[in-house]
Amino acid sequence: MRKYFLGALMALFFFTSCKKEIEILNPETLDNYFPLEVGKQITYALDSTRFLNFGKTRTVISYQAQDRIDAKITDNLGRPSYRIFRYIRKDSTQQWQFSNTFMATPTNNTIEYIENNLRYVKLKFPIRQGDTWKGNTFINTTSIDVDLRYLDDWDYEYDSVGRPLTLNSMHFDNTVTVKERDEFTGQDPSIPGTLYAEKNYSIKKYAKGIGLIYREFMHWEYQGQNGGYYDGYGVKLTIISHN
C-alpha cells in the first residue's frame, strides 16, 4: 500500500511538472495578438498632443483614426509583408481622409513595423511575462544629423500577459501589455528655476484576435530659457471598433 501511494504521488508530481513546463514553453503566438489579414481594420479615438505658441502652449487635438490592411506585399528584403493605410477624420460626420502608410512584416519570431520610415520590433516571441527585447534596434539614434537620440536603447517588456481588459465599454478576454519606456530626466518644469527636463513614455496594449487596442506615447524636452518652452509631441490611440 505504501509503495502504491508513493508511486501515485510521484506520478502526480511528474504530471504537474510537465503541465507547468508546457504552459511556460507554449505561450501565445505573435499572430494571436497581431493578426495580419487583408481587409482587417481598426478604428481608434486619436488624441494628438502638440506644443504651440513657440512651445509655450500644450494643446490636445482629437480625431478618429482608422488603420486598414490594404494589401499583402514584399519588403525591400523580399519578405512577405502587409501594407497598412491610415485614414483620419474629425468625427463620424466627416469623410475619411488618407493620412499615412505603414508596413508590418511578420518574421519567425518578431513583428517588424515601419512607421514614418522607422523600423520597430513591435512584438517578439515568446510572449511571456517579463521578457524583454530591444524594440528600436533598427533605428539610427546616434548620427548627429538625426534627432532620434531619445529612442536609443529602449527595452520593451511584456506585462499583464493574458489579462482581461475593458476599454471604451469594450471587453477583451485576453490582452498583453508592452511597456516600451517610462523615463523622466531633470526637474519638474513647474518648479521655478528649472533649466531642463525631458520625458519619454510609451506603452501599447494588444488584444488576442484583434491587434493593437491602446497606445500612449509622449516625448518632450523642456528648456528653461526665455521664459521656458517645450519641444515634442504625444499620441494616444484607444480602440472604438474593429471588424
Side-chain angles (χ1 to χ4, degrees):
M1 185 69 177
R2 179 180 174 83
K3 290 183 178 179
Y4 173 79
F5 174 77
L6 290 175
L9 185 62
M10 291 178 65
L12 178 62
F13 176 78
F14 177 77
F15 174 78
T16 304
S17 299
C18 287
K19 184 178 180 181
K20 288 182 178 179
E21 184 178 1
I22 290 172
E23 290 174 349
I24 292 173
L25 296 179
N26 290 276
E28 302 287 355
T29 57
L30 298 183
D31 58 356
N32 289 147
Y33 290 111
F34 208 114
L36 291 167
E37 181 180 350
V38 175
K40 182 174 180 57
Q41 61 187 42
I42 304 177
T43 304
Y44 303 96
L46 167 61
D47 292 330
S48 175
T49 299
R50 304 176 186 177
F51 296 95
L52 307 178
N53 188 26
F54 300 101
K56 297 183 181 297
T57 304
R58 182 187 304 214
T59 302
V60 177
I61 304 174
S62 296
Y63 304 90
Q64 289 183 350
Q66 187 175 88
D67 289 354
R68 306 175 189 173
I69 301 182
D70 170 69
K72 188 173 183 179
I73 58 176
T74 56
D75 69 0
N76 58 0
L77 298 177
R79 302 177 300 178
S81 303
Y82 292 82
R83 184 174 63 207
I84 302 169
F85 289 155
R86 172 167 291 176
Y87 299 85
I88 63 171
R89 63 186 181 185
K90 189 61 180 175
D91 54 50
S92 59
T93 66
Q94 299 184 349
Q95 297 295 315
W96 291 109
Q97 302 293 325
F98 174 78
S99 173
N100 209 340
T101 301
F102 311 125
M103 184 172 67
T105 303
T107 72
N108 289 334
N109 64 344
T110 65
I111 297 289
E112 296 181 10
Y113 197 86
I114 293 182
E115 179 177 352
N116 298 325
N117 295 318
L118 301 176
R119 184 185 300 271
Y120 300 86
V121 181
K122 295 290 188 179
L123 298 174
K124 184 177 178 64
F125 186 83
I127 300 175
R128 193 159 49 194
Q129 180 73 24
D131 276 13
T132 64
W133 69 100
K134 300 294 184 182
N136 300 347
T137 189
F138 293 115
I139 299 174
N140 179 6
T141 61
T142 58
S143 294
I144 60 175
D145 58 340
V146 296
D147 188 23
L148 299 173
R149 190 171 297 277
Y150 68 94
L151 293 173
D152 188 54
D153 200 36
W154 284 22
D155 286 312
Y156 290 24
E157 180 181 0
Y158 284 128
D159 187 38
S160 303
V161 174
R163 298 280 185 85
L165 182 67
T166 299
L167 288 172
N168 281 343
S169 300
M170 301 174 64
H171 181 75
F172 307 95
D173 293 328
N174 187 325
T175 69
V176 61
T177 296
V178 179
K179 295 179 177 179
E180 298 179 350
R181 196 70 159 182
D182 189 359
E183 174 188 49
F184 182 83
T185 304
Q187 183 174 261
D188 189 332
S190 65
I191 299 176
T194 297
L195 295 179
Y196 178 81
E198 180 177 352
K199 179 179 178 64
N200 294 301
Y201 180 80
S202 186
I203 191 170
K204 294 187 180 69
K205 298 178 185 289
Y206 301 85
K208 184 178 179 180
I210 299 172
L212 180 70
I213 58 172
Y214 182 82
R215 176 193 181 190
E216 188 173 351
F217 173 91
M218 179 65 70
H219 163 68
W220 55 253
E221 295 182 19
Y222 173 81
Q223 303 287 345
Q225 300 86 352
N226 302 319
Y229 63 93
Y230 291 85
D231 182 28
Y233 69 102
V235 174
K236 183 165 77 170
L237 289 171
T238 308
I239 189 171
I240 298 174
S241 64
H242 66 92
N243 66 358

